[in-house]
Amino acid sequence: MTVTGSPAQTAERPAHRDANVLRWLGAYTASMIGDSVYYMALAWAAARTGGDTQTGLVLAVGSIPRAVLMLGGGVLADRIGPRRVVIGSDAVRCLVVLGLAGALLLTSPALWMLIAVALVFGVVDALFLPAVGALPPRVTATGQLARVQGMRGLATRLANVVGAPLGGVAVALGGPAAAFAAAGVLFAVSLPLLLSLRIRPLPEEDGAQPSGTAWHDLADGLRHIRRHPLLGPLMLVVAVSELGFVGPLNLGLILLAEERHWGASGMGWIIAAFGIGAGATALLLAVRGRVPRAGLVMCLAVLVGAVAIGSLAQLPSVALAAAAAVCVGLFAGLGGSLCGALIQTVTEPAYLGRVTSVSTLFTHAIAPLSYPVTGAAVAIWGTGPVFATSAALCAAGALTGLAFTRLRRAELPR
């Protein structure tokens, strides 16, 4: 007689051994590498078409629709389901990029053409990012979400390492057209994997249908966050700590390397060290699958990461700065992954898209607005005070989380 496992037993299969999760991971990885190749090709084509100002315009223009439409993307994910949104987003990106590659075979890139594509990608990102964040609870059990966050972190690190060199090779071999074509092929690879996903029914969704207008649904989602005992504090931690994290780790390191005369190679070693630390944290979560006392560990990890950020501008050599960057990657990466897992496990399933859109708005739209502030502050006061202020912001986010008893005691499902 053949004995079949119960649904609960099947659902609790470890994520790294679950074919359904691995299909999702493959689709996500292909899409992220495609993104990296696309942005590299776009920057190269813009630089060949215009000057520095035009290049900056092309790269920045996509951030406008991403910021404006992000919350609407969360509403759409909750209304029609995140898988449909992710599939549609990757399909549009595939068609647009392959179309651009075909056009570049017939004519040289024009500035208006690149701006139009960047705007389309900004709109698609506003839909894709909330949906892809809301998808993991639908492809695995809640007890596996921390492990999935680790696997997602590894995929992101792989995309960062592989994407830009792959785009560079494609440009060297066939120009921007070849690089855009490679990005389109990667988006196409994700589509059959996404179509083959088995979506788990979430009990609270049974019979729950969107009601009212999209604006009503958005307001309802924001009220859900405000009234929830954990989601409100978690969003405060994300908002405050990301403002302190993004500026120094993206723009600040470039300015620090110039100030200390470390050169591009020195900056490269520091960025690589950060990637090693973040990758190690992602691997730990992917293997371990759960961290006890997740809320407390999350806040303490962000606090330690803040100290490491502040130390970066005080260290005299590349080697010491790289060691500090490893600590930033380890602890800030751990805090971010645990925060993401907690958000996904405590959110009511019907609100996952809208809640994810709010957290993504802070990380991908609002926090990058600190770039010009960081640059201006470094020009006036130097890197030391700016990195110290950024560290204080990160620490304030961690201390905000520690001030909430429910968050300190929050646990991930077993």
Side-chain angles (χ1 to χ4, degrees):
M1 179 177 66
T2 302
V3 179
T4 58
S6 69
Q9 289 171 325
T10 302
E12 288 298 334
R13 180 184 302 167
H16 61 286
R17 298 177 184 173
D18 188 336
N20 198 44
V21 174
L22 294 178
R23 284 192 292 271
W24 166 82
L25 184 65
Y28 179 77
T29 303
S31 185
M32 290 297 99
I33 296 175
D35 252 359
S36 295
V37 173
Y38 157 77
Y39 281 111
M40 191 275 170
L42 185 69
W44 182 267
R48 296 293 297 272
T49 303
D52 293 342
T53 301
Q54 288 80 4
T55 302
L57 174 64
V58 170
L59 294 179
V61 74
S63 64
I64 298 171
R66 186 166 58 237
V68 172
L69 300 175
M70 184 76 74
L71 297 180
V75 172
L76 186 65
D78 284 337
R79 280 186 164 236
I80 69 174
R83 185 177 71 158
R84 292 179 182 177
V85 176
V86 171
I87 290 172
S89 300
D90 270 355
V92 170
R93 291 197 284 189
C94 176
L95 293 174
V96 169
V97 172
L98 290 179
L100 178 60
L104 293 182
L105 291 176
L106 304 175
T107 182
S108 57
L111 191 63
W112 69 265
M113 188 186 304
L114 300 178
I115 289 176
V117 171
L119 283 171
V120 171
F121 260 69
V123 173
V124 172
D125 275 350
L127 305 180
F128 175 83
L129 291 170
V132 79
L135 198 52
R138 289 171 165 84
V139 299
T140 190
T142 55
Q144 297 298 315
L145 285 174
R147 178 172 276 128
V148 169
Q149 286 293 321
M151 295 165 70
R152 182 179 176 183
L154 287 173
T156 301
R157 296 300 153 200
L158 177 64
N160 291 339
V161 170
V162 173
L166 180 60
V169 170
V171 167
L173 294 177
F180 284 121
V185 169
L186 285 163
F187 293 136
V189 167
S190 73
L191 292 175
L193 294 170
L194 290 168
L195 289 167
S196 66
L197 284 180
R198 298 189 311 275
I199 300 300
R200 297 175 64 250
L202 300 176
E204 293 85 352
E205 285 186 320
D206 294 343
Q209 296 295 330
S211 60
T213 64
W215 181 257
H216 175 272
D217 287 348
L218 175 57
D220 188 35
L222 296 177
R223 281 194 299 270
H224 176 68
I225 293 172
R226 179 170 54 86
R227 295 172 179 173
H228 196 284
L230 285 180
L231 286 176
L234 282 167
M235 293 301 167
L236 284 174
V237 173
V238 171
V240 177
S241 60
E242 282 292 326
L243 281 174
F245 177 81
V246 169
L249 266 297
N250 287 278
L251 176 63
L253 280 180
I254 298 173
L255 302 178
L256 178 64
E258 289 181 353
E259 183 182 279
R260 299 294 177 82
H261 306 291
W262 289 340
S265 62
M267 184 184 68
W269 280 111
I270 296 171
I271 293 174
F274 169 79
I276 291 171
T281 291
L283 181 61
L284 172 66
L285 284 176
V287 172
R288 185 176 177 85
R290 184 178 181 274
V291 174
R293 306 196 69 178
L296 178 61
V297 172
M298 178 199 76
C299 295
L300 294 178
V302 173
L303 193 59
V304 175
V307 174
I309 289 173
S311 71
L312 278 170
Q314 309 301 324
L315 298 172
S317 68
V318 171
L320 291 174
V326 170
C327 293
V328 175
L330 278 170
F331 291 101
L334 178 60
S337 295
L338 289 177
C339 186
L342 284 169
I343 288 173
Q344 290 186 339
T345 55
V346 304
T347 301
E348 294 291 333
Y351 292 95
L352 269 170
R354 281 164 285 180
V355 171
T356 304
S357 73
V358 173
S359 63
T360 308
L361 180 69
F362 289 127
T363 57
H364 286 81
I366 294 178
L369 296 178
S370 65
Y371 291 162
V373 176
T374 299
V378 168
I380 297 172
W381 294 296
T383 55
V386 171
F387 271 74
T389 302
S390 296
L393 271 175
C394 285
L399 294 173
T400 299
L402 289 171
F404 290 91
T405 303
R406 293 287 293 272
L407 182 52
R408 289 199 311 271
R409 296 177 178 174
E411 294 278 6
L412 291 170
R414 293 186 179 275

